[in-house]
């Protein structure tokens, strides 16, 4: 019922990503200018709802932030109301409590008729108990990982791909100069979207995805083929942080015991580089891009996507929708049940058209399925010409 919405809250949850401020701007300006609503900013994601840290957001606050990285509201990837770490007992470890009631009380105290929750699958899962408690939540899909179900794209992803591609381009020239193998580890958690997309965009030679467990033997064969005399004599390997060998596990960088999703991946790039050097004798270096992929200004495509999403969130709210997440499907903006997206991950299908295209042009995935180009055929052709 459109006329019952007078005041809304907005929060950004989970890991930050480029475009968060662009969504806050679109939400705030659309809400104030088009619908005359009041907007309250909730600080540090659900942490602000738990601790009652809520402040008014004016259209002035939302001005000049389109291009800024990070989030003016702050974020947290620990504050899941249903499973919240209230303290760490020195003997038994983290003590968890369900603090959903604090969030509901804060929302009621500030008379929020709805909350726009900007976040990934973990943030949508954190919002679920509030939806069940009767709070109207409208989700906006965020994450550099691009792994939310229900939407073909999340904002932040394209900027991360841009950053990773630029880094890979730079590694290309140094690999070429030194006749080395360069391994670059990118983020993405359990999904290989960043690795696949940046890998293809940069013309990388081998792409390691969580969805395609690799064999070190195949990977090294591919490297050795490229290092042969007369060949390119360098190789670029992109490793998604969630990639793993066929006979091994993902590499975990750290465990954050106070987080409801405690595993932080990292280290596979270094491991792969060491193995390549050991097995082939080729000089190999590794770089991990890490949080560089999350920072900085969003590229134009993400500013536009964020603006669409923010506007669309207010549009569907004013149409009377409840508990929905805005999405883009087939290039059209739509919405799905927020609970459908909560806590699930959209992985790269192993028959994805981009994998097929990459294989066709000789890119390896460490699974031995890329046919080696026939050097003799190439050589003969050049003689004839
Ligand atoms: O989900 C975004 C992301 O950057 C992942 O790609 C990465 O695995 C994780 O967050 C890192 O989390 P943190 O910021 O806690 O190190």
């Amino acid at each position: 019922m459109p006329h019952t919405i007078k005041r809304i809250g907005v929060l950004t949850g989970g890991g930050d990503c480029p475009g968060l401020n662009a969504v806050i701007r679109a939400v705030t300006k659309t809400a104030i200018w088009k619908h005359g609503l009041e907007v309250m900013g909730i600080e540090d994601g659900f942490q602000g709802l738990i601790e009652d840290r809520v402040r008014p957001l004016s259209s002035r606050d939302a001005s000049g932030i389109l291009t800024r990285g990070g989030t003016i509201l702050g974020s947290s990837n620990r504050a899941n109301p249903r499973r919240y770490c209230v303290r760490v007992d020195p003997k038994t470890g983290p003590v968890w409590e369900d603090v959903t009631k604090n969030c509901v009380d804060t929302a009621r105290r500030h008379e929020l008729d709805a909350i726009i929750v900007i976040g990934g699958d973990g943030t949508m899962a954190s919002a679920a108990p509030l939806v069940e408690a009767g709070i109207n939540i409208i989700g906006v899909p965020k994450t550099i990982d691009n792994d939310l179900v229900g939407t073909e794209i999340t904002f932040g992803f394209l900027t991360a791909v841009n950053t990773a591609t630029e880094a890979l381009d730079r590694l290309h020239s140094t690999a070429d100069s030194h006749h080395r193998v360069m391994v670059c580890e990118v983020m993405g958690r359990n999904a290989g979207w960043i690795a696949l997309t940046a890998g293809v965009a940069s013309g990388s030679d081998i792409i390691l995805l969580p969805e395609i467990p690799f064999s070190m033997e195949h990977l090294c064969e591919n490297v050795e083929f490229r290092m042969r005399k007369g060949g390119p004599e360098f190789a670029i390997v992109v490793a998604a942080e969630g990639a793993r060998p066929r006979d091994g596990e993902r590499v975990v960088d750290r465990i954050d015991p106070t987080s409801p999703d405690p595993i932080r991946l990292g280290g596979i790039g270094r491991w792969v580089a060491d193995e390549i050097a050991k097995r082939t004798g080729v000089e190999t270096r590794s770089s991990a891009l890490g949080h560089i992929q999350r920072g900085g200004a969003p590229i134009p495509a993400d500013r536009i996507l964020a603006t669409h999403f923010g506007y669309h969130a207010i549009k569907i709210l004013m149409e009377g929708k409840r508990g929905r997440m805005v999405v883009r499907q087939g290039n059209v903006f739509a919405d799905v049940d927020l609970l459908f997206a909560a806590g699930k991950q959209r992985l790269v299908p192993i028959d994805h058209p981009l994998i097929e295209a990459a294989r066709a042009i000789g890119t390896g995935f460490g699974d031995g399925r890329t046919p080696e180009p026939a050097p003799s055929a190439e050589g003969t052709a050049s003689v004839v010409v």
Side-chain angles (χ1 to χ4, degrees):
M1 283 145 281
H3 57 278
T4 60
I5 309 285
K6 292 197 177 81
R7 180 186 283 181
I8 61 165
V10 55
L11 68 80
T12 53
D16 71 338
C17 90
L20 283 167
N21 284 324
V23 178
I24 295 171
R25 171 180 177 268
V27 162
T28 306
K29 290 190 172 186
T30 308
I32 295 175
W33 287 345
K34 191 166 163 62
H35 300 285
L37 307 183
E38 270 182 82
V39 182
M40 306 295 283
I42 298 160
E43 295 174 356
D44 298 333
F46 284 101
Q47 193 76 36
L49 264 190
I50 295 165
E51 296 171 354
D52 194 358
R53 285 191 280 116
V54 177
R55 58 177 152 98
L57 268 190
S58 66
S59 57
R60 183 77 198 85
D61 294 322
S63 285
I65 62 171
L66 173 67
T67 62
R68 263 170 68 181
T71 158
I72 59 165
L73 292 174
S75 193
S76 163
N77 59 5
R78 290 207 182 82
N80 179 336
R82 196 173 262 159
R83 188 172 157 76
Y84 180 67
C85 175
V86 283
R87 67 193 162 84
V88 179
D89 185 296
K91 288 203 185 102
T92 56
V95 178
W96 306 95
E97 267 178 30
D98 183 342
V99 294
T100 304
K101 189 173 175 311
N102 296 32
C103 298
V104 174
D105 289 349
T106 303
R108 301 244 156 93
R109 196 172 304 119
H110 292 276
E111 297 177 359
L112 303 180
D113 298 314
I115 303 177
I116 309 298
V117 167
I118 309 168
D121 63 300
T123 305
M124 298 307 154
S126 297
L130 302 190
V131 175
E132 284 156 14
I135 307 281
N136 188 8
I137 306 273
I138 301 290
V140 177
K142 162 241 72 164
T143 168
I144 63 164
D145 304 337
N146 200 30
D147 63 350
L148 249 85
V149 300
T151 185
E152 65 196 6
I153 193 154
T154 56
F155 75 87
F157 167 65
L158 291 173
T159 303
V161 167
N162 201 60
T163 304
T165 303
E166 225 177 272
L168 286 160
D169 289 348
R170 288 170 197 274
L171 290 173
H172 232 111
S173 56
T174 169
D176 192 3
S177 310
H178 287 271
H179 313 298
R180 283 174 173 165
V181 177
M182 289 287 188
V183 181
C184 180
E185 180 181 301
V186 297
M187 279 186 163
R189 235 175 6 155
N190 302 317
W193 294 107
I194 299 177
L196 173 64
T197 314
V200 172
S202 61
S204 293
D205 308 301
I206 300 164
I207 302 174
L208 305 178
L209 305 178
E211 293 85 353
I212 304 179
F214 60 90
S215 126
M216 244 1 263
E217 287 71 37
H218 289 312
L219 207 164
C220 289
E221 267 168 31
N222 202 335
V223 164
E224 276 167 339
F225 174 77
R226 289 190 57 85
M227 299 307 291
R228 267 185 223 159
K229 230 179 162 37
E233 293 184 54
F234 71 90
I236 304 290
V237 181
V238 192
E241 62 180 358
R244 64 174 176 86
R246 273 180 195 162
D247 51 358
E249 292 301 320
R250 295 175 310 168
V251 181
V252 174
D253 174 45
R254 67 184 65 221
I255 304 277
D256 181 348
T258 63
S259 167
D261 181 13
I263 293 176
R264 297 292 179 274
L265 299 171
I268 186 68
R270 181 64 194 268
W271 184 84
V272 165
D274 289 349
E275 283 295 307
I276 292 174
K278 201 166 74 190
R279 292 174 185 232
T280 65
V282 178
E283 197 175 23
T284 306
R285 297 283 189 273
S286 75
S287 310
L289 295 186
H291 294 80
I292 289 168
Q293 295 156 101
R294 293 226 308 245
I299 61 168
D302 265 334
R303 296 177 198 182
I304 291 164
L305 185 58
T307 303
H308 270 301
F309 275 151
Y311 160 72
H312 204 76
I314 298 300
K315 180 171 177 277
I316 64 166
L317 174 68
M318 298 315 286
E319 285 168 1
K321 294 196 175 172
R322 302 181 64 86
R324 310 289 292 175
M325 182 179 82
V326 298
V327 297
R328 201 185 76 185
Q329 290 165 346
N331 230 5
V332 172
F333 291 91
D335 51 276
V336 296
D337 186 340
L338 181 135
L339 300 183
F340 169 69
K344 298 188 198 105
Q345 286 169 22
R346 188 176 70 98
L347 304 182
V348 178
I350 57 168
D351 58 353
H352 191 279
L354 194 53
I355 297 182
E356 205 182 308
R359 286 194 196 277
I361 59 170
T363 310
F365 287 85
D367 60 351
R369 280 193 44 208
T370 304
E372 274 193 2
S376 56
E378 258 182 281
T380 316
S382 63
V383 168
V384 171
V385 167

